[in-house]
Amino acid sequence: MANDEVILLDFWPSMFGMRLRIALAEKEIKYEYKDEDLRNKSPLLLQMNPIHKKIPVLIHNGKPICESIIGVEYIDEVWKDKAPFLPSDPYERAQARFWADYVDKKLFDSGRKLWTTKGEEQEAAKKDFIECLKVLEGALGEKPYFGGDNFGFVDIALIGFYSWFHSYETYGNFSTEAECPKFVAWAKRCMQRDSVAKSLPDQHKVLDFVKTLRHKFGIE
Amino acid sequence: MANDEVILLDFWPSMFGMRLRIALAEKEIKYEYKDEDLRNKSPLLLQMNPIHKKIPVLIHNGKPICESIIGVEYIDEVWKDKAPFLPSDPYERAQARFWADYVDKKLFDSGRKLWTTKGEEQEAAKKDFIECLKVLEGALGEKPYFGGDNFGFVDIALIGFYSWFHSYETYGNFSTEAECPKFVAWAKRCMQRDSVAKSLPDQHKVLDFVKTLRHKFGIE
């Protein structure tokens, strides 16, 4: 795999892109990072993801892999000798896939509503968001990681959202630490890993980005 | 695996449930089928899928696997010696997962709108739906199945929708065969398989069910 060409088409605040950054870092794969301007997408992005036209796209030896969770699993299958993300037992694999899917189906939308809505809609989103974190705390249990003793598939799927928490809390007016201390302890544990620390942007930089978006969308 | 206990909690018109029925049939796994009353869900369903409270749920030796695509992959991994659904090459696996995900993200919603909306919204749904089928035709290319020469993962993910096509066409007022003849040829090819023919309800029975739903929802 020494001569592999790996390119990541990404956009720095994307929690989906962060999944691939972390996965590549965990496997110690060198790659070229290309930050996309989503208002003026590159011809390469449009060529590599003609169906969804979205980042992130992993390009391995010229061939694109779209959808972040599929990319993480692809990385795990190709570079299988190092730091496996998914367990080997089929039932445990199904469970990991279930929780990654739960994150995709539940967390993004309620998180987004925290900074795009107001009043009752925002209150409902806050309730959903915290409930979602509590469900995830239940799935984590007393384990250090969702992957058990090892940082794994669900950890990779979820931790990128943490870089948005300062924004969620600022506009949603709540404290994750007060509501879900075990979740925050898990996130801080993940942040101690080089692969995660180097892949997530600073929470304040994300907040500045969210401020810009709110201004652009006319939300005040 | 001779003493495996396999139970499927399902609801007969569910295209998601059909995926598991087909997967189990392809692997020749005996199982107990339990049809749920979704207005009065069984304690077993609520216990086995406390997060989403949805069918289908595959229960293998007392342990639940939720989300149909995850269940299909679980079946493929546990009963791996017979009729593999996913290819062995990581890139081809990623492609198959991409198209199954595409079906989940695109086809269900536009299909549903065909019989739940009217006027401009319905016209837009019809355009989306046919475009989606044409994209899928492109992915199929000249192969007999999405899995190539073998009926595979994407075929299993997609063919259940075909039992709803008579309903989609009736309320959307279009002919899939006229718009997407290659798609229909693929569907008819799949229907020749025992595993599919026995797992899909009759299209007229689905239409009667949709009529009942429209009446219940006050759509006329």
Side-chain angles (χ1 to χ4, degrees), chain B residues 143-170:
Chain B
K143 306 190 295 290
Y145 297 111
F146 285 89
D149 287 333
N150 299 312
F151 179 82
F153 194 65
V154 181
D155 302 290
I156 293 172
L158 181 57
I159 189 61
F161 285 83
Y162 189 58
S163 62
W164 284 69
F165 271 49
H166 183 43
S167 303
Y168 296 154
E169 291 175 330
T170 300

Side-chain angles (χ1 to χ4, degrees), chain B residues 102-155:
Chain B
Y102 179 81
V103 169
D104 275 354
K105 284 186 176 145
K106 299 281 183 182
L107 205 61
F108 181 78
D109 280 343
S110 56
R112 188 180 168 85
K113 281 181 187 161
L114 288 173
W115 59 270
T116 54
T117 66
K118 286 184 188 178
E120 279 182 26
E121 198 177 353
Q122 192 188 41
E123 284 305 309
K126 195 199 297 191
K127 194 166 159 275
D128 281 351
F129 187 80
I130 291 169
E131 193 180 295
C132 184
L133 295 187
K134 286 186 189 293
V135 167
L136 288 166
E137 278 188 330
L140 178 64
E142 299 305 319
K143 306 190 295 290
Y145 297 111
F146 285 89
D149 287 333
N150 299 312
F151 179 82
F153 194 65
V154 181
D155 302 290

Side-chain angles (χ1 to χ4, degrees), chain A residues 49 51-52 60 63-67 70 73-74 77-78 88-95 97-99 101-102 105-106 135, chain B residues 49 51-52 60 63-67 70 73-74 77-78 88-95 97-99 101-102 105-106 135:
Chain A
N49 191 356
I51 304 297
H52 298 306
H60 183 204
K63 292 193 289 186
I65 299 100
C66 303
E67 299 295 318
I70 295 172
E73 198 155 356
Y74 175 79
E77 292 186 355
V78 172
S88 55
D89 175 71
Y91 189 73
E92 288 177 26
R93 291 164 72 84
Q95 290 298 98
R97 289 184 181 123
F98 175 84
W99 289 114
D101 179 74
Y102 178 81
K105 284 185 177 144
K106 299 281 183 183
V135 167
Chain B
N49 191 357
I51 304 294
H52 298 305
H60 183 204
K63 293 194 290 188
I65 298 101
C66 303
E67 299 295 318
I70 295 172
E73 199 155 355
Y74 175 80
E77 291 185 354
V78 171
S88 56
D89 174 71
Y91 189 73
E92 287 176 27
R93 291 163 72 85
Q95 289 298 99
R97 289 182 180 125
F98 175 84
W99 288 113
D101 180 73
Y102 179 81
K105 284 186 176 145
K106 299 281 183 182
V135 167

Side-chain angles (χ1 to χ4, degrees), chain B residues 49-82:
Chain B
N49 191 357
I51 304 294
H52 298 305
K53 302 177 180 67
K54 284 181 182 175
I55 57 95
V57 180
L58 181 73
I59 309 174
H60 183 204
N61 295 332
K63 293 194 290 188
I65 298 101
C66 303
E67 299 295 318
S68 61
I69 275 293
I70 295 172
V72 171
E73 199 155 355
Y74 175 80
I75 290 168
D76 203 29
E77 291 185 354
V78 171
W79 289 274
K80 59 188 168 194
D81 293 336
K82 191 174 168 66

Side-chain angles (χ1 to χ4, degrees), chain A residues 53-203:
Chain A
K53 302 177 180 67
K54 285 182 181 174
I55 59 95
V57 180
L58 180 74
I59 309 174
H60 183 204
N61 295 332
K63 292 193 289 186
I65 299 100
C66 303
E67 299 295 318
S68 61
I69 275 293
I70 295 172
V72 171
E73 198 155 356
Y74 175 79
I75 291 168
D76 203 29
E77 292 186 355
V78 172
W79 289 273
K80 59 188 167 194
D81 294 337
K82 192 175 167 67
F85 305 149
L86 277 169
S88 55
D89 175 71
Y91 189 73
E92 288 177 26
R93 291 164 72 84
Q95 290 298 98
R97 289 184 181 123
F98 175 84
W99 289 114
D101 179 74
Y102 178 81
V103 169
D104 275 355
K105 284 185 177 144
K106 299 281 183 183
L107 205 60
F108 182 78
D109 281 342
S110 56
R112 187 180 169 84
K113 281 181 189 159
L114 288 173
W115 60 270
T116 54
T117 65
K118 288 184 185 179
E120 279 183 26
E121 198 177 352
Q122 193 188 41
E123 284 304 310
K126 194 198 298 191
K127 194 165 161 275
D128 280 352
F129 187 79
I130 292 168
E131 192 179 296
C132 184
L133 295 188
K134 286 186 190 292
V135 167
L136 288 167
E137 277 188 331
L140 179 63
E142 299 305 320
K143 305 189 295 291
Y145 297 111
F146 285 88
D149 287 331
N150 299 312
F151 179 83
F153 194 66
V154 181
D155 302 289
I156 294 172
L158 181 56
I159 189 61
F161 285 83
Y162 189 58
S163 63
W164 283 68
F165 271 49
H166 182 42
S167 304
Y168 295 154
E169 291 175 332
T170 300
Y171 294 108
N173 193 27
F174 69 98
S175 156
T176 313
E177 189 132 34
E179 300 280 353
C180 305
K182 280 169 69 177
F183 184 91
V184 172
W186 161 82
K188 288 183 175 169
R189 198 174 301 125
C190 292
M191 288 300 287
Q192 285 171 8
R193 298 179 77 83
D194 258 14
S195 68
V196 177
K198 286 180 183 167
S199 301
L200 267 59
D202 184 271
Q203 296 210 359

Side-chain angles (χ1 to χ4, degrees), chain A residues 198-216:
Chain A
K198 286 180 183 167
S199 301
L200 267 59
D202 184 271
Q203 296 210 359
H204 296 90
K205 195 179 162 196
V206 174
L207 180 61
D208 286 342
F209 173 70
V210 171
K211 275 182 191 162
T212 317
L213 283 184
R214 278 171 57 97
H215 184 72
K216 204 177 116 192

